[in-house]
Amino acid sequence: AYLIRRKINMNNMIYRQLMVSQINIQKRDFFPTLPDIFAPCVWSLLGWNTITLNNFLHAKKILVTLPHASPNIFFPRAGVSKFVTEKQKEDDDYFHLRVVLTHTNFSDLGWRPYAWWYLNEEGILTKQSLFSRNKKKKHYIISSQPPLFLNKQPYPHFLEKGIQLAQHTNNLALSYIVLQAWQEKLSNFSLANRTLYIPFDTLILLMQTLAKQQPKEHPWLLNLLIYAQSRAFRDHQLEYIHQWENAYVYDNYTNISLLFPLAPTAIVGGVKMQQYWSYIVDNVISINGRMTIPCPIPQCIVFPQRQEYLLPYSPKQKTLLQIQEADIEYSLAMAMTEHQLYTT
């Protein structure tokens, strides 16, 4: 049993090492126009710097969260990062792996990636439209679109640097990841050197490549993917295909299972994830039964319905009236202005 556990741990270390290598290889391609002077700031922001990647590599406990790519981090979803941050403060062994879903589209009403809402310096709710959602385009995948380009309209001063950095990526989903990371780091909703942001398609590409090029070395992955439901790009949208080798993304159950080789302690989700978690576990157990070295199965932690730790960030009456009139949720960007949740 000891030798099996040791093999499992060694195997997990290999997958983490490959993930780190993938990030280091791709990061310059992700930011093709980034001036060298800004690179250290971006790598530190996303956790793509040496110290954070090393912490990820050797983390004893990893908590995974799965936000959608969007400039908006609406409450109560904003509290997911705060929930993990509080866990990290209680236990230094916890590392936060923030895997951002880049295959969502502009019809996503939970995160509303077609516009960005924030409070200006005077506390007035402002909407910055980022994408025209006509009937044809609302199902366009965010990562299929060009990077962020914003005009010179005034933004809260603490967002300006993040906006500047977000415009050097090679697609819109990556721009949104930069904006998310900027807001979360600045407001202390995530911890420096203990939080790693990864585009989900990067993880998929790595695992898919291993299964294709080294099937004998990674039989667990191959067994998972050959039965997956696969989708690929066509005209900026996703369509179902039969070849798992050419997929951009898989079904939700497979997508989440691809996190397991990294040996996370738990995946933090909502009630919806809890409802289908048993299906994921049963499928992985079935695959494990055919493997010499099984894949570890993490816990599913349901984000708590009662979130007292978010009370200090609640909207004030003036803001509450504005978001009610606009039929929009309160967001982290708004809270940052309202409660001065930023550091210089």
Side-chain angles (χ1 to χ4, degrees), residues 220 281 283-297:
W220 188 90
V281 171
N283 188 50
V284 172
I285 289 174
S286 175
I287 296 174
N288 280 349
R290 301 191 292 271
M291 299 293 110
T292 304
I293 301 177
C295 186
I297 299 175

Side-chain angles (χ1 to χ4, degrees), residues 189-258:
F189 272 53
S190 66
L191 298 183
N193 299 325
R194 294 174 64 191
T195 308
L196 173 60
Y197 294 79
I198 294 179
F200 198 63
D201 53 289
T202 298
L203 173 69
I204 288 178
L205 179 61
L206 170 63
M207 299 302 184
Q208 182 185 72
T209 301
L210 295 175
K212 285 191 292 187
Q213 297 181 357
Q214 305 171 31
K216 292 183 179 179
E217 287 79 4
H218 305 280
W220 188 90
L221 285 175
L222 183 63
N223 269 265
L224 178 70
L225 296 181
I226 58 176
Y227 297 107
Q229 196 174 65
S230 306
R231 289 182 291 170
F233 276 137
R234 182 179 180 185
D235 298 329
H236 306 286
Q237 302 183 58
L238 290 176
E239 67 170 16
Y240 289 103
I241 61 172
H242 296 295
Q243 302 83 16
W244 67 266
E245 299 92 339
N246 301 323
Y248 179 77
V249 69
Y250 299 99
D251 59 274
N252 197 36
Y253 308 128
T254 302
N255 292 338
I256 293 176
S257 298
L258 284 172

